[in-house]
Amino acid sequence: MGLDVLENVHVPKTFPSTEYSAEVHALLSKLKLLVEPQGFEVYPFLIGWYNETVEEVFQLKYPEDTVAFLFISTPSMFEKAFVPFVLKHEMEELRDPIDQCMLNFFRNLVKEFAEQQVDMIHDFELHPNKRPKILAQTAAHVSGAAFLYRMQNLSLELRASPTPKRMMGLCLHPKYGGWFAIRGCIVLKDLHCPDLPRLDPIDILTAPVDQMKALELFNFHWRDSRFRDVVSVEERYSKDQQLYFNTPPGQRKHILADIRKKYSAQLGSP
């Protein structure tokens, strides 16, 4: 895959530190210890930050000062979490492997908070009317996990270009570019912190023309993954992971079988 790195980008070498309350700090430290070895990152945010950004129909029905934690999967999640999950299950049990893996991941997280009221919201969950339960990219932006680039934030001149008017937004991570995924969040219903410090997402595409280029790559050329590499990144998906995700879901069974065979041999599994 050839790189198409944009020129006017800002990728910080260090990332801002934030001081949280003792309770939030303890929870965040606990979550990091649980999820980082599996290839995930976690970011706290307030429900109010999310709700003030979305239309009323997408708002979450919790008090504004309720604390939630957003989870993203980094490139290493595939080998650290997904492959071990696959090896623990027979092929017949794996109907939608990634979603099943994420369901298992969140269920195990919630077990660690047995004394608290916790709701899980997955990125793939829908209401009965097919409306998403959470706008995952917006949650990533307000939590500081990744910067959300949207057509409506660009100048009228750029929006008047021959490009179709409606384009999906694109989140980019300061370390991984587009090589990551937003997996969902947990809401701690009885944890309220109106003074939670807010971590702003890092804007790594400072030139509007570069933002437009990234949006076009994502919306119209997403299969070649060039949008993921519009900035220099620290890590990408492995070849196995790229092959798996680039294969249509209905055709992944033989890819999954090959992955099981390869990693079973490496780990000495039967």
Side-chain angles (χ1 to χ4, degrees), residues 182-210:
I182 306 158
R183 298 302 180 181
C185 70
I186 59 173
V187 181
L188 278 70
K189 298 166 65 174
D190 51 0
L191 178 59
H192 302 274
C193 185
D195 298 323
L196 183 75
R198 187 163 183 170
L199 179 66
D200 291 328
I202 298 173
D203 182 0
I204 54 179
L205 293 180
T206 55
V209 66
D210 287 344

Side-chain angles (χ1 to χ4, degrees), residues 10-155:
H10 168 63
V11 182
K13 299 301 180 184
T14 59
F15 297 87
S17 59
T18 305
E19 292 186 5
Y20 297 106
S21 68
E23 185 174 11
V24 173
H25 177 75
L27 287 170
L28 183 59
S29 298
K30 179 179 181 179
L31 286 169
K32 286 184 175 182
L33 286 172
L34 289 169
V35 307
E36 288 182 353
Q38 300 180 69
F40 293 86
E41 291 181 355
V42 55
Y43 298 83
F45 68 98
L46 291 182
I47 295 298
W49 302 349
Y50 172 85
N51 283 350
E52 70 185 14
T53 310
V54 301
E55 297 177 24
E56 185 175 357
V57 293
F58 293 109
Q59 291 180 353
L60 300 174
K61 308 304 181 185
Y62 304 96
E64 301 291 278
D65 62 353
T66 305
V67 177
F69 291 91
L70 179 91
F71 298 86
I72 69 169
S73 58
T74 72
S76 66
M77 179 280 297
F78 193 81
E79 283 76 20
K80 291 180 176 179
F82 180 65
V83 169
F85 175 81
V86 167
L87 293 178
K88 290 178 182 178
H89 295 80
E90 298 297 329
M91 287 289 292
E92 295 74 17
E93 301 175 299
L94 300 172
R95 298 174 303 280
D96 196 339
I98 282 290
D99 285 357
Q100 288 174 267
C101 178
M102 294 304 110
L103 285 165
N104 181 71
F105 168 77
F106 277 93
R107 279 196 296 264
N108 288 337
L109 276 183
V110 171
K111 289 178 183 177
E112 299 291 331
F113 298 92
E115 298 180 358
Q116 294 175 286
Q117 296 184 58
V118 181
D119 283 347
M120 298 179 288
I121 308 176
H122 301 279
D123 69 295
F124 52 80
E125 280 191 284
L126 303 174
H127 289 290
N129 62 2
K130 305 301 182 182
R131 182 184 299 127
K133 288 191 174 182
I134 190 169
L135 298 179
Q137 293 201 105
T138 300
H141 186 90
V142 301
S143 71
F147 199 99
L148 175 58
Y149 298 94
R150 301 185 300 175
M151 186 76 170
Q152 53 263 50
N153 298 133
L154 299 177
S155 68

